[in-house]
Amino acid sequence: MKDKYSEQFPDEQSIVKAVKRGDPKVFSHLFDAYYKDLVMYASSFCGSQAICEDIVQDLFADLYVRHSRFDPHCTVKAYLLTTVRNACLDVLRHRKVCTNHADYMLKFGLK
């Protein structure tokens, strides 16, 4: 995907190095390049637009905070997709726990 950062980050290796050193431009590049696709991907799991946007925003915030430990064993895109999928699965697991708890409370008449 061509954007204003494509010349500065021409390949995967330059992106990984820039993330590891905390270059703010690479975070803008990644956000611009992948945000919409990641939100759409998250919506295939969660459904709620707001939750999907929160998941993707949290991903980028966490990547920014923990940039020095960034070491993908695959492409950056695959890393982002995997991270979004895992966060969505966490949300679904949490929903199930909440539903089970609510069912338990109703079954035993607890408030």
Side-chain angles (χ1 to χ4, degrees):
M1 174 175 252
K2 287 280 186 191
D3 64 10
K4 60 186 175 183
Y5 301 107
S6 294
E7 288 183 20
Q8 201 167 12
F9 307 110
D11 59 17
E12 195 76 19
Q13 187 177 23
S14 64
I15 292 171
V16 171
K17 286 180 182 179
V19 169
K20 285 181 93 56
R21 65 175 186 267
D23 184 342
K25 291 178 184 175
V26 77
F27 295 103
S28 293
H29 165 65
L30 291 173
F31 189 86
D32 292 346
Y34 296 112
Y35 179 79
K36 287 180 184 177
D37 291 340
L38 292 172
V39 171
M40 285 191 328
Y41 180 62
S43 69
S44 69
F45 293 95
C46 297
S48 167
Q49 183 73 16
I51 291 173
C52 296
E53 289 174 0
D54 286 347
I55 287 170
V56 175
Q57 289 170 5
D58 288 347
L59 159 68
F60 284 107
D62 189 57
L63 181 60
Y64 184 77
V65 168
R66 301 174 193 267
H67 67 270
S68 62
R69 293 188 280 177
F70 180 68
D71 189 22
H73 294 30
C74 51
T75 66
V76 172
K77 184 175 183 177
Y79 170 83
L80 296 172
L81 289 169
T82 300
T83 304
V84 167
R85 184 197 70 217
N86 290 342
C88 289
L89 294 176
D90 288 344
V91 166
L92 295 174
R93 279 191 287 272
H94 181 72
R95 281 184 189 169
K96 185 174 182 175
V97 167
C98 290
T99 301
N100 288 344
H101 180 70
D103 291 346
Y104 176 84
M105 298 296 275
L106 287 172
K107 182 177 180 180
F108 293 104
L110 303 172
K111 294 183 182 182

